[in-house]
Amino acid sequence: MNVLVWNEFRHEKENEVVRDIYPEGIHAQIASFLGEEDIDVKTATLDEEEHGLTDEVLAETDVLVWWGHKAHDEVDDAIAEKVKQRVWDGMGLVVLHSAHFSKPFKKLMGTSCDLKWREANDKERMWVVDPSHPITEGIGEFIEIEKEEMYGEHFDIPTPEELIFISWFSGGEVFRSGATFRRGRGKIFYFRPGHETYPTYYNKEVQTVIKNGVNWVNNNDTPQPVYGNAHPLEDILSKA
Ligand code: ZN
């Protein structure tokens, strides 16, 4: 499986707090724990040529993991469109935290993807609500994160095909933190945790969920449908 971890990689360059947590960038930390599995992991960032998302790179990517926040608007529309097309064509997509507002995710959802938020060291308790789902393998009844940014409902997404986690926050809000979607042949997993000023991607349970999510969205070897005008497979004309 070829996995590409994409990060806008701006907070880490501009903010000392974030740089202390992720000195090589959020993408490097995510790539490092994914690389412990039998996975070929590469990374790409916004400031690379074509954001590191050339046609060749996208064609060979089975699963794309996306983290972005402050520079969604700098992602070229044509490249966001290509990412969407690759998902339709079978590439898996794992959308993390503030990438709820990324261009590819918004294109794929067709809604505003807006939500409520607060940076106030809330405690997050993320409950498993679908214990039959492979994305929850290795997780207990819930995951507790001592300090995180709060995301609250309403989250303006289409009704998820599967709802996997619901978060409770110490300020009282709740949020659909793990949700799956299918678009074309592609599978999508949205996973909430991962605000840049907290060490969330060092949390082993969060890592397990991301690994499980990457495995679950990997769908690239499924049959390629044939569209358009079709010749009959049986001799229907002589029976007319
Ligand atoms: Zn955030």
Side-chain angles (χ1 to χ4, degrees):
M1 190 197 329
N2 293 319
V3 177
L4 183 69
V5 180
W6 191 91
N7 178 18
E8 70 179 23
F9 196 26
R10 290 283 175 84
H11 290 287
E12 300 92 325
K13 292 175 183 167
E14 296 163 10
N15 180 334
E16 206 175 320
V17 175
V18 182
R19 189 163 52 240
D20 282 350
I21 301 170
Y22 298 111
E24 311 292 327
I26 285 173
H27 54 296
Q29 170 56 14
I30 293 170
S32 81
F33 65 76
L34 289 176
E36 295 164 3
E37 308 290 301
D38 187 21
I39 295 174
D40 182 16
V41 190
K42 293 190 174 71
T43 62
T45 55
L46 178 65
D47 292 328
E48 292 172 35
E49 183 97 10
E50 295 183 54
H51 314 322
L53 299 169
T54 62
D55 290 351
E56 297 70 35
V57 167
L58 283 173
E60 69 187 17
T61 299
D62 298 308
V63 174
L64 178 62
V65 178
W66 194 283
W67 196 100
H69 178 226
K70 63 189 298 186
H72 295 311
D73 288 350
E74 292 180 49
V75 173
D76 187 272
D77 284 329
I79 293 172
E81 183 66 21
K82 283 182 193 177
V83 170
K84 183 195 84 178
Q85 292 280 343
R86 267 296 286 139
V87 172
W88 285 2
D89 200 27
M91 181 179 73
L93 182 65
V94 175
V95 177
L96 296 173
H97 188 61
S98 40
H100 70 91
F101 261 164
S102 64
K103 284 184 181 178
F105 187 62
K106 285 170 75 175
K107 277 175 180 287
L108 286 157
M109 295 299 105
T111 55
S112 77
C113 299
D114 213 342
L115 49 75
K116 200 177 267 125
W117 61 275
R118 173 175 63 241
E119 275 188 73
N121 295 336
D122 271 271
K123 177 175 174 174
E124 176 174 11
R125 190 174 292 125
M126 192 165 43
W127 290 88
V128 173
V129 294
D130 186 353
S132 72
H133 201 284
I135 287 178
T136 67
E137 230 176 85
I139 302 300
E141 207 180 4
F142 54 78
I143 297 173
E144 218 165 68
I145 303 174
E146 217 37 58
K147 288 177 186 172
E148 251 292 355
E149 181 181 16
M150 183 282 292
Y151 276 8
E153 298 284 345
H154 178 239
F155 184 18
D156 185 24
I157 46 171
T159 301
E161 290 185 22
E162 299 160 309
L163 185 57
I164 303 183
F165 296 102
I166 294 178
S167 286
W168 164 92
F169 292 88
S170 47
E173 294 85 358
V174 296
F175 190 75
R176 288 168 291 172
S177 282
T180 69
F181 307 88
R182 291 171 206 243
R183 294 291 184 269
R185 288 166 60 227
K187 293 162 81 176
I188 301 163
F189 174 48
Y190 174 79
F191 188 49
R192 194 213 77 85
H195 186 66
E196 65 275 4
T197 57
Y198 301 110
T200 299
Y201 295 127
Y202 293 90
N203 179 308
K204 293 288 177 199
E205 290 174 299
V206 167
Q207 294 179 1
T208 297
V209 172
I210 294 172
K211 286 176 194 172
N212 291 346
V214 163
N215 281 304
W216 185 79
V217 299
N218 180 27
N219 203 36
N220 224 357
D221 293 331
T222 52
Q224 175 71 58
V226 178
Y227 299 111
N229 191 4
H231 289 286
L233 301 177
E234 306 285 339
D235 177 16
I236 53 174
L237 292 177
S238 63
K239 290 175 188 159

